[in-house]
Amino acid sequence: MAAAGPSVFLLMVNGQVESAQFPEYDDLYCKYCFVYGQDWAPTAQMVKETALPPAAQRGEGHGSPELGHWPSLSSSQGLEEGISQITSKSQDARRALVWNFPIDVTFKSTNPYGWPQIVLSVYGPDVFGNDVVRGYGAVHVPFSPGRHKKTIPMFVPESVSKLQKFTSWFMGRRPEYTDPKVVAQGEGREVTRVRSQGFVTLLFNVVTKDMRKLGYDTGPPDTQGVSGPSTPQGLPR
């Protein structure tokens, strides 16, 4: 009897929020979260760990090199969201804000509709020491397996009038989204006034499983190639 084929495919993503360019600002930190469709869900992945043999766990034979370590499996789901450390500009000519903040998550789905996007929010102090948003941005997780480098243009919401702009600056309450996930959605965006501000660079390592078995072709099976640096999303090529 033939074995049943897979009912879902897996998308494994790791990498890092590498760095940013915000010439006018310093001492910034970054938040990220994922937005995905209804058919998608984070899932646990099996990670190899090491465990001592029973004799070593009982305290026998300490220091004996022949005991070694035995591999075991545990479940790890990864993180759907995270917040980085505060970083200052580098002292070289680039004046880059380097986070190297890790990303690691695995999704499962039955179809590609609602492919995951990562949403970034960058924050930093204003002249009064209040934390204010310095940029929002979003990009889809790359569709093809391999290593990818993406540069995302960031933007901030703008006040409608000069009076509102001065009031928000004076009070330390700049316009911002109550839910950053709205950045990855089109609904209501046409009534929002925004201003471009800064860039963030991300590094993705993407692995897919069982997509070909379900009839989806994401490109050549070779996952060793590196694509990038890419043209910033949303800018003319």
Side-chain angles (χ1 to χ4, degrees), residues 190-223:
E190 69 277 359
V191 298
T192 306
R193 178 180 293 184
V194 299
R195 172 171 52 89
S196 296
Q197 182 170 279
F199 297 88
V200 174
T201 301
L202 286 87
L203 187 64
F204 293 99
N205 297 302
V206 177
V207 177
T208 59
K209 183 177 185 293
D210 292 333
M211 287 198 71
R212 288 180 180 272
K213 292 181 180 179
L214 292 173
Y216 301 112
D217 187 0
T218 57
D222 178 19
T223 61

PDB file of all heavy atoms in Angstrom, residues 190-223:
ATOM      1  N   GLU A 190      -4.352  54.008   2.145  1.00  0.00           N
ATOM      2  CA  GLU A 190      -4.432  55.116   1.195  1.00  0.00           C
ATOM      3  C   GLU A 190      -4.753  56.445   1.870  1.00  0.00           C
ATOM      4  O   GLU A 190      -4.553  57.515   1.282  1.00  0.00           O
ATOM      5  CB  GLU A 190      -5.479  54.821   0.108  1.00  0.00           C
ATOM      6  CG  GLU A 190      -6.931  54.820   0.579  1.00  0.00           C
ATOM      7  CD  GLU A 190      -7.346  53.500   1.208  1.00  0.00           C
ATOM      8  OE1 GLU A 190      -6.511  52.578   1.267  1.00  0.00           O
ATOM      9  OE2 GLU A 190      -8.516  53.397   1.637  1.00  0.00           O
ATOM     10  N   VAL A 191      -5.247  56.432   3.100  1.00  0.00           N
ATOM     11  CA  VAL A 191      -5.587  57.672   3.798  1.00  0.00           C
ATOM     12  C   VAL A 191      -4.497  58.090   4.778  1.00  0.00           C
ATOM     13  O   VAL A 191      -4.663  59.050   5.523  1.00  0.00           O
ATOM     14  CB  VAL A 191      -6.925  57.523   4.549  1.00  0.00           C
ATOM     15  CG1 VAL A 191      -8.054  57.241   3.576  1.00  0.00           C
ATOM     16  CG2 VAL A 191      -6.844  56.411   5.593  1.00  0.00           C
ATOM     17  N   THR A 192      -3.376  57.376   4.773  1.00  0.00           N
ATOM     18  CA  THR A 192      -2.284  57.681   5.692  1.00  0.00           C
ATOM     19  C   THR A 192      -1.197  58.460   4.971  1.00  0.00           C
ATOM     20  O   THR A 192      -0.709  58.044   3.921  1.00  0.00           O
ATOM     21  CB  THR A 192      -1.676  56.389   6.276  1.00  0.00           C
ATOM     22  OG1 THR A 192      -2.718  55.606   6.867  1.00  0.00           O
ATOM     23  CG2 THR A 192      -0.627  56.703   7.326  1.00  0.00           C
ATOM     24  N   ARG A 193      -0.804  59.583   5.542  1.00  0.00           N
ATOM     25  CA  ARG A 193       0.304  60.371   4.993  1.00  0.00           C
ATOM     26  C   ARG A 193       1.604  59.902   5.647  1.00  0.00           C
ATOM     27  O   ARG A 193       1.699  59.842   6.875  1.00  0.00           O
ATOM     28  CB  ARG A 193       0.089  61.857   5.275  1.00  0.00           C
ATOM     29  CG  ARG A 193       1.224  62.746   4.778  1.00  0.00           C
ATOM     30  CD  ARG A 193       0.970  64.208   5.090  1.00  0.00           C
ATOM     31  NE  ARG A 193      -0.168  64.712   4.334  1.00  0.00           N
ATOM     32  CZ  ARG A 193      -0.567  65.986   4.366  1.00  0.00           C
ATOM     33  NH1 ARG A 193       0.079  66.857   5.144  1.00  0.00           N
ATOM     34  NH2 ARG A 193      -1.595  66.379   3.648  1.00  0.00           N
ATOM     35  N   VAL A 194       2.593  59.571   4.828  1.00  0.00           N
ATOM     36  CA  VAL A 194       3.852  59.055   5.354  1.00  0.00           C
ATOM     37  C   VAL A 194       5.031  59.778   4.707  1.00  0.00           C
ATOM     38  O   VAL A 194       4.894  60.433   3.676  1.00  0.00           O
ATOM     39  CB  VAL A 194       3.987  57.528   5.125  1.00  0.00           C
ATOM     40  CG1 VAL A 194       2.886  56.766   5.830  1.00  0.00           C
ATOM     41  CG2 VAL A 194       4.016  57.191   3.651  1.00  0.00           C
ATOM     42  N   ARG A 195       6.202  59.604   5.331  1.00  0.00           N
ATOM     43  CA  ARG A 195       7.441  60.190   4.825  1.00  0.00           C
ATOM     44  C   ARG A 195       8.542  59.135   4.886  1.00  0.00           C
ATOM     45  O   ARG A 195       8.703  58.456   5.902  1.00  0.00           O
ATOM     46  CB  ARG A 195       7.823  61.406   5.670  1.00  0.00           C
ATOM     47  CG  ARG A 195       9.201  61.994   5.371  1.00  0.00           C
ATOM     48  CD  ARG A 195       9.366  63.323   6.107  1.00  0.00           C
ATOM     49  NE  ARG A 195       9.071  63.199   7.527  1.00  0.00           N
ATOM     50  CZ  ARG A 195       9.982  62.882   8.449  1.00  0.00           C
ATOM     51  NH1 ARG A 195      11.231  62.616   8.085  1.00  0.00           N
ATOM     52  NH2 ARG A 195       9.646  62.811   9.717  1.00  0.00           N
ATOM     53  N   SER A 196       9.298  58.990   3.798  1.00  0.00           N
ATOM     54  CA  SER A 196      10.397  58.019   3.766  1.00  0.00           C
ATOM     55  C   SER A 196      11.513  58.455   4.711  1.00  0.00           C
ATOM     56  O   SER A 196      11.833  59.642   4.808  1.00  0.00           O
ATOM     57  CB  SER A 196      10.949  57.880   2.345  1.00  0.00           C
ATOM     58  OG  SER A 196       9.966  57.353   1.475  1.00  0.00           O
ATOM     59  N   GLN A 197      12.105  57.449   5.369  1.00  0.00           N
ATOM     60  CA  GLN A 197      13.128  57.774   6.358  1.00  0.00           C
ATOM     61  C   GLN A 197      13.944  56.538   6.708  1.00  0.00           C
ATOM     62  O   GLN A 197      13.493  55.680   7.438  1.00  0.00           O
ATOM     63  CB  GLN A 197      12.447  58.327   7.619  1.00  0.00           C
ATOM     64  CG  GLN A 197      13.367  58.769   8.725  1.00  0.00           C
ATOM     65  CD  GLN A 197      12.608  59.511   9.803  1.00  0.00           C
ATOM     66  OE1 GLN A 197      12.323  60.691   9.681  1.00  0.00           O
ATOM     67  NE2 GLN A 197      12.265  58.808  10.867  1.00  0.00           N
ATOM     68  N   GLY A 198      15.135  56.400   6.142  1.00  0.00           N
ATOM     69  CA  GLY A 198      16.056  55.346   6.538  1.00  0.00           C
ATOM     70  C   GLY A 198      15.848  54.025   5.814  1.00  0.00           C
ATOM     71  O   GLY A 198      14.868  53.822   5.081  1.00  0.00           O
ATOM     72  N   PHE A 199      16.799  53.107   6.034  1.00  0.00           N
ATOM     73  CA  PHE A 199      16.782  51.765   5.450  1.00  0.00           C
ATOM     74  C   PHE A 199      17.231  50.756   6.504  1.00  0.00           C
ATOM     75  O   PHE A 199      18.057  51.063   7.364  1.00  0.00           O
ATOM     76  CB  PHE A 199      17.729  51.667   4.249  1.00  0.00           C
ATOM     77  CG  PHE A 199      17.354  52.555   3.092  1.00  0.00           C
ATOM     78  CD1 PHE A 199      17.812  53.865   3.014  1.00  0.00           C
ATOM     79  CD2 PHE A 199      16.533  52.091   2.074  1.00  0.00           C
ATOM     80  CE1 PHE A 199      17.473  54.684   1.957  1.00  0.00           C
ATOM     81  CE2 PHE A 199      16.185  52.900   1.009  1.00  0.00           C
ATOM     82  CZ  PHE A 199      16.660  54.202   0.958  1.00  0.00           C
ATOM     83  N   VAL A 200      16.683  49.539   6.417  1.00  0.00           N
ATOM     84  CA  VAL A 200      17.106  48.430   7.274  1.00  0.00           C
ATOM     85  C   VAL A 200      17.487  47.249   6.385  1.00  0.00           C
ATOM     86  O   VAL A 200      16.776  46.938   5.420  1.00  0.00           O
ATOM     87  CB  VAL A 200      15.997  48.015   8.264  1.00  0.00           C
ATOM     88  CG1 VAL A 200      16.404  46.755   9.035  1.00  0.00           C
ATOM     89  CG2 VAL A 200      15.699  49.144   9.235  1.00  0.00           C
ATOM     90  N   THR A 201      18.590  46.595   6.701  1.00  0.00           N
ATOM     91  CA  THR A 201      19.081  45.442   5.940  1.00  0.00           C
ATOM     92  C   THR A 201      18.853  44.159   6.725  1.00  0.00           C
ATOM     93  O   THR A 201      19.208  44.081   7.906  1.00  0.00           O
ATOM     94  CB  THR A 201      20.577  45.593   5.620  1.00  0.00           C
ATOM     95  OG1 THR A 201      20.776  46.787   4.856  1.00  0.00           O
ATOM     96  CG2 THR A 201      21.088  44.401   4.815  1.00  0.00           C
ATOM     97  N   LEU A 202      18.230  43.167   6.065  1.00  0.00           N
ATOM     98  CA  LEU A 202      17.971  41.869   6.676  1.00  0.00           C
ATOM     99  C   LEU A 202      18.684  40.766   5.900  1.00  0.00           C
ATOM    100  O   LEU A 202      18.840  40.858   4.683  1.00  0.00           O
ATOM    101  CB  LEU A 202      16.470  41.548   6.683  1.00  0.00           C
ATOM    102  CG  LEU A 202      15.593  42.298   7.671  1.00  0.00           C
ATOM    103  CD1 LEU A 202      15.130  43.600   7.073  1.00  0.00           C
ATOM    104  CD2 LEU A 202      14.393  41.448   8.056  1.00  0.00           C
ATOM    105  N   LEU A 203      19.063  39.729   6.605  1.00  0.00           N
ATOM    106  CA  LEU A 203      19.657  38.540   6.003  1.00  0.00           C
ATOM    107  C   LEU A 203      18.759  37.353   6.309  1.00  0.00           C
ATOM    108  O   LEU A 203      18.436  37.093   7.470  1.00  0.00           O
ATOM    109  CB  LEU A 203      21.056  38.305   6.552  1.00  0.00           C
ATOM    110  CG  LEU A 203      21.876  37.191   5.908  1.00  0.00           C
ATOM    111  CD1 LEU A 203      22.173  37.509   4.441  1.00  0.00           C
ATOM    112  CD2 LEU A 203      23.183  36.975   6.656  1.00  0.00           C
ATOM    113  N   PHE A 204      18.308  36.651   5.244  1.00  0.00           N
ATOM    114  CA  PHE A 204      17.429  35.492   5.397  1.00  0.00           C
ATOM    115  C   PHE A 204      18.152  34.227   4.945  1.00  0.00           C
ATOM    116  O   PHE A 204      18.835  34.228   3.914  1.00  0.00           O
ATOM    117  CB  PHE A 204      16.173  35.627   4.534  1.00  0.00           C
ATOM    118  CG  PHE A 204      15.231  36.720   4.938  1.00  0.00           C
ATOM    119  CD1 PHE A 204      15.230  37.938   4.281  1.00  0.00           C
ATOM    120  CD2 PHE A 204      14.322  36.528   5.973  1.00  0.00           C
ATOM    121  CE1 PHE A 204      14.350  38.934   4.627  1.00  0.00           C
ATOM    122  CE2 PHE A 204      13.432  37.526   6.329  1.00  0.00           C
ATOM    123  CZ  PHE A 204      13.446  38.733   5.660  1.00  0.00           C
ATOM    124  N   ASN A 205      17.967  33.143   5.685  1.00  0.00           N
ATOM    125  CA  ASN A 205      18.306  31.795   5.237  1.00  0.00           C
ATOM    126  C   ASN A 205      16.993  31.012   5.196  1.00  0.00           C
ATOM    127  O   ASN A 205      16.357  30.813   6.232  1.00  0.00           O
ATOM    128  CB  ASN A 205      19.306  31.119   6.181  1.00  0.00           C
ATOM    129  CG  ASN A 205      20.627  31.853   6.229  1.00  0.00           C
ATOM    130  OD1 ASN A 205      21.279  32.041   5.208  1.00  0.00           O
ATOM    131  ND2 ASN A 205      21.018  32.299   7.415  1.00  0.00           N
ATOM    132  N   VAL A 206      16.589  30.610   3.991  1.00  0.00           N
ATOM    133  CA  VAL A 206      15.261  30.010   3.792  1.00  0.00           C
ATOM    134  C   VAL A 206      15.403  28.550   3.367  1.00  0.00           C
ATOM    135  O   VAL A 206      16.183  28.234   2.456  1.00  0.00           O
ATOM    136  CB  VAL A 206      14.464  30.795   2.732  1.00  0.00           C
ATOM    137  CG1 VAL A 206      13.113  30.134   2.482  1.00  0.00           C
ATOM    138  CG2 VAL A 206      14.275  32.242   3.164  1.00  0.00           C
ATOM    139  N   VAL A 207      14.653  27.689   4.026  1.00  0.00           N
ATOM    140  CA  VAL A 207      14.579  26.273   3.661  1.00  0.00           C
ATOM    141  C   VAL A 207      13.103  25.887   3.570  1.00  0.00           C
ATOM    142  O   VAL A 207      12.314  26.220   4.462  1.00  0.00           O
ATOM    143  CB  VAL A 207      15.290  25.377   4.696  1.00  0.00           C
ATOM    144  CG1 VAL A 207      15.139  23.903   4.317  1.00  0.00           C
ATOM    145  CG2 VAL A 207      16.752  25.747   4.813  1.00  0.00           C
ATOM    146  N   THR A 208      12.724  25.210   2.497  1.00  0.00           N
ATOM    147  CA  THR A 208      11.356  24.713   2.355  1.00  0.00           C
ATOM    148  C   THR A 208      11.364  23.185   2.321  1.00  0.00           C
ATOM    149  O   THR A 208      12.359  22.571   1.927  1.00  0.00           O
ATOM    150  CB  THR A 208      10.690  25.248   1.072  1.00  0.00           C
ATOM    151  OG1 THR A 208      11.468  24.841  -0.066  1.00  0.00           O
ATOM    152  CG2 THR A 208      10.601  26.762   1.100  1.00  0.00           C
ATOM    153  N   LYS A 209      10.253  22.603   2.728  1.00  0.00           N
ATOM    154  CA  LYS A 209      10.136  21.141   2.755  1.00  0.00           C
ATOM    155  C   LYS A 209       8.766  20.739   2.219  1.00  0.00           C
ATOM    156  O   LYS A 209       7.751  21.282   2.636  1.00  0.00           O
ATOM    157  CB  LYS A 209      10.330  20.608   4.183  1.00  0.00           C
ATOM    158  CG  LYS A 209      10.301  19.084   4.298  1.00  0.00           C
ATOM    159  CD  LYS A 209      10.575  18.652   5.734  1.00  0.00           C
ATOM    160  CE  LYS A 209      10.672  17.128   5.841  1.00  0.00           C
ATOM    161  NZ  LYS A 209       9.386  16.474   5.563  1.00  0.00           N
ATOM    162  N   ASP A 210       8.753  19.807   1.271  1.00  0.00           N
ATOM    163  CA  ASP A 210       7.544  19.191   0.699  1.00  0.00           C
ATOM    164  C   ASP A 210       6.750  20.122  -0.207  1.00  0.00           C
ATOM    165  O   ASP A 210       5.621  19.784  -0.589  1.00  0.00           O
ATOM    166  CB  ASP A 210       6.618  18.652   1.811  1.00  0.00           C
ATOM    167  CG  ASP A 210       7.220  17.474   2.553  1.00  0.00           C
ATOM    168  OD1 ASP A 210       8.043  16.758   1.949  1.00  0.00           O
ATOM    169  OD2 ASP A 210       6.884  17.276   3.737  1.00  0.00           O
ATOM    170  N   MET A 211       7.304  21.253  -0.607  1.00  0.00           N
ATOM    171  CA  MET A 211       6.570  22.131  -1.522  1.00  0.00           C
ATOM    172  C   MET A 211       6.448  21.504  -2.901  1.00  0.00           C
ATOM    173  O   MET A 211       5.389  21.563  -3.531  1.00  0.00           O
ATOM    174  CB  MET A 211       7.253  23.496  -1.618  1.00  0.00           C
ATOM    175  CG  MET A 211       7.080  24.354  -0.382  1.00  0.00           C
ATOM    176  SD  MET A 211       7.406  26.103  -0.668  1.00  0.00           S
ATOM    177  CE  MET A 211       5.980  26.574  -1.649  1.00  0.00           C
ATOM    178  N   ARG A 212       7.518  20.899  -3.396  1.00  0.00           N
ATOM    179  CA  ARG A 212       7.467  20.244  -4.706  1.00  0.00           C
ATOM    180  C   ARG A 212       6.501  19.068  -4.700  1.00  0.00           C
ATOM    181  O   ARG A 212       5.820  18.811  -5.686  1.00  0.00           O
ATOM    182  CB  ARG A 212       8.865  19.789  -5.122  1.00  0.00           C
ATOM    183  CG  ARG A 212       9.790  20.935  -5.505  1.00  0.00           C
ATOM    184  CD  ARG A 212      11.164  20.433  -5.910  1.00  0.00           C
ATOM    185  NE  ARG A 212      12.035  21.535  -6.274  1.00  0.00           N
ATOM    186  CZ  ARG A 212      12.120  22.060  -7.496  1.00  0.00           C
ATOM    187  NH1 ARG A 212      11.381  21.559  -8.466  1.00  0.00           N
ATOM    188  NH2 ARG A 212      12.936  23.073  -7.742  1.00  0.00           N
ATOM    189  N   LYS A 213       6.430  18.354  -3.581  1.00  0.00           N
ATOM    190  CA  LYS A 213       5.531  17.215  -3.499  1.00  0.00           C
ATOM    191  C   LYS A 213       4.069  17.650  -3.562  1.00  0.00           C
ATOM    192  O   LYS A 213       3.195  16.881  -3.949  1.00  0.00           O
ATOM    193  CB  LYS A 213       5.785  16.426  -2.207  1.00  0.00           C
ATOM    194  CG  LYS A 213       7.134  15.721  -2.184  1.00  0.00           C
ATOM    195  CD  LYS A 213       7.328  14.941  -0.893  1.00  0.00           C
ATOM    196  CE  LYS A 213       8.677  14.241  -0.869  1.00  0.00           C
ATOM    197  NZ  LYS A 213       8.889  13.507   0.402  1.00  0.00           N
ATOM    198  N   LEU A 214       3.811  18.901  -3.164  1.00  0.00           N
ATOM    199  CA  LEU A 214       2.450  19.430  -3.222  1.00  0.00           C
ATOM    200  C   LEU A 214       2.197  20.238  -4.493  1.00  0.00           C
ATOM    201  O   LEU A 214       1.145  20.863  -4.634  1.00  0.00           O
ATOM    202  CB  LEU A 214       2.176  20.304  -1.994  1.00  0.00           C
ATOM    203  CG  LEU A 214       2.108  19.552  -0.659  1.00  0.00           C
ATOM    204  CD1 LEU A 214       1.992  20.519   0.509  1.00  0.00           C
ATOM    205  CD2 LEU A 214       0.941  18.582  -0.641  1.00  0.00           C
ATOM    206  N   GLY A 215       3.168  20.222  -5.412  1.00  0.00           N
ATOM    207  CA  GLY A 215       2.964  20.849  -6.711  1.00  0.00           C
ATOM    208  C   GLY A 215       3.411  22.282  -6.829  1.00  0.00           C
ATOM    209  O   GLY A 215       3.088  22.950  -7.821  1.00  0.00           O
ATOM    210  N   TYR A 216       4.184  22.799  -5.865  1.00  0.00           N
ATOM    211  CA  TYR A 216       4.645  24.183  -5.922  1.00  0.00           C
ATOM    212  C   TYR A 216       6.132  24.214  -6.265  1.00  0.00           C
ATOM    213  O   TYR A 216       6.936  23.520  -5.635  1.00  0.00           O
ATOM    214  CB  TYR A 216       4.421  24.889  -4.581  1.00  0.00           C
ATOM    215  CG  TYR A 216       2.977  24.902  -4.150  1.00  0.00           C
ATOM    216  CD1 TYR A 216       2.562  24.170  -3.044  1.00  0.00           C
ATOM    217  CD2 TYR A 216       2.021  25.632  -4.847  1.00  0.00           C
ATOM    218  CE1 TYR A 216       1.239  24.165  -2.638  1.00  0.00           C
ATOM    219  CE2 TYR A 216       0.698  25.634  -4.450  1.00  0.00           C
ATOM    220  CZ  TYR A 216       0.316  24.901  -3.351  1.00  0.00           C
ATOM    221  OH  TYR A 216      -0.997  24.894  -2.951  1.00  0.00           O
ATOM    222  N   ASP A 217       6.480  25.025  -7.255  1.00  0.00           N
ATOM    223  CA  ASP A 217       7.866  25.128  -7.703  1.00  0.00           C
ATOM    224  C   ASP A 217       8.403  26.496  -7.305  1.00  0.00           C
ATOM    225  O   ASP A 217       7.935  27.527  -7.780  1.00  0.00           O
ATOM    226  CB  ASP A 217       7.942  24.955  -9.226  1.00  0.00           C
ATOM    227  CG  ASP A 217       9.384  24.893  -9.723  1.00  0.00           C
ATOM    228  OD1 ASP A 217      10.309  24.990  -8.887  1.00  0.00           O
ATOM    229  OD2 ASP A 217       9.573  24.755 -10.946  1.00  0.00           O
ATOM    230  N   THR A 218       9.378  26.527  -6.413  1.00  0.00           N
ATOM    231  CA  THR A 218       9.949  27.792  -5.947  1.00  0.00           C
ATOM    232  C   THR A 218      11.324  28.068  -6.536  1.00  0.00           C
ATOM    233  O   THR A 218      12.060  28.915  -6.054  1.00  0.00           O
ATOM    234  CB  THR A 218      10.065  27.800  -4.409  1.00  0.00           C
ATOM    235  OG1 THR A 218      10.868  26.678  -3.993  1.00  0.00           O
ATOM    236  CG2 THR A 218       8.696  27.711  -3.769  1.00  0.00           C
ATOM    237  N   GLY A 219      11.687  27.336  -7.593  1.00  0.00           N
ATOM    238  CA  GLY A 219      12.982  27.583  -8.223  1.00  0.00           C
ATOM    239  C   GLY A 219      13.884  26.377  -8.120  1.00  0.00           C
ATOM    240  O   GLY A 219      13.466  25.292  -7.703  1.00  0.00           O
ATOM    241  N   PRO A 220      15.149  26.527  -8.469  1.00  0.00           N
ATOM    242  CA  PRO A 220      16.084  25.407  -8.452  1.00  0.00           C
ATOM    243  C   PRO A 220      16.280  24.872  -7.043  1.00  0.00           C
ATOM    244  O   PRO A 220      16.189  25.619  -6.064  1.00  0.00           O
ATOM    245  CB  PRO A 220      17.388  26.010  -8.999  1.00  0.00           C
ATOM    246  CG  PRO A 220      17.246  27.478  -8.796  1.00  0.00           C
ATOM    247  CD  PRO A 220      15.790  27.768  -8.931  1.00  0.00           C
ATOM    248  N   PRO A 221      16.520  23.574  -6.912  1.00  0.00           N
ATOM    249  CA  PRO A 221      16.671  22.969  -5.591  1.00  0.00           C
ATOM    250  C   PRO A 221      17.948  23.364  -4.892  1.00  0.00           C
ATOM    251  O   PRO A 221      18.111  23.129  -3.703  1.00  0.00           O
ATOM    252  CB  PRO A 221      16.656  21.464  -5.883  1.00  0.00           C
ATOM    253  CG  PRO A 221      17.111  21.355  -7.304  1.00  0.00           C
ATOM    254  CD  PRO A 221      16.602  22.576  -8.005  1.00  0.00           C
ATOM    255  N   ASP A 222      18.927  23.961  -5.604  1.00  0.00           N
ATOM    256  CA  ASP A 222      20.189  24.351  -4.995  1.00  0.00           C
ATOM    257  C   ASP A 222      19.945  25.479  -3.998  1.00  0.00           C
ATOM    258  O   ASP A 222      19.435  26.535  -4.344  1.00  0.00           O
ATOM    259  CB  ASP A 222      21.166  24.813  -6.080  1.00  0.00           C
ATOM    260  CG  ASP A 222      22.498  25.286  -5.504  1.00  0.00           C
ATOM    261  OD1 ASP A 222      22.790  24.926  -4.350  1.00  0.00           O
ATOM    262  OD2 ASP A 222      23.222  26.006  -6.205  1.00  0.00           O
ATOM    263  N   THR A 223      20.294  25.263  -2.730  1.00  0.00           N
ATOM    264  CA  THR A 223      20.077  26.273  -1.691  1.00  0.00           C
ATOM    265  C   THR A 223      21.364  26.960  -1.281  1.00  0.00           C
ATOM    266  O   THR A 223      21.418  27.624  -0.262  1.00  0.00           O
ATOM    267  CB  THR A 223      19.440  25.624  -0.444  1.00  0.00           C
ATOM    268  OG1 THR A 223      20.329  24.623   0.065  1.00  0.00           O
ATOM    269  CG2 THR A 223      18.098  25.014  -0.784  1.00  0.00           C
TER     270      THR A 223
END
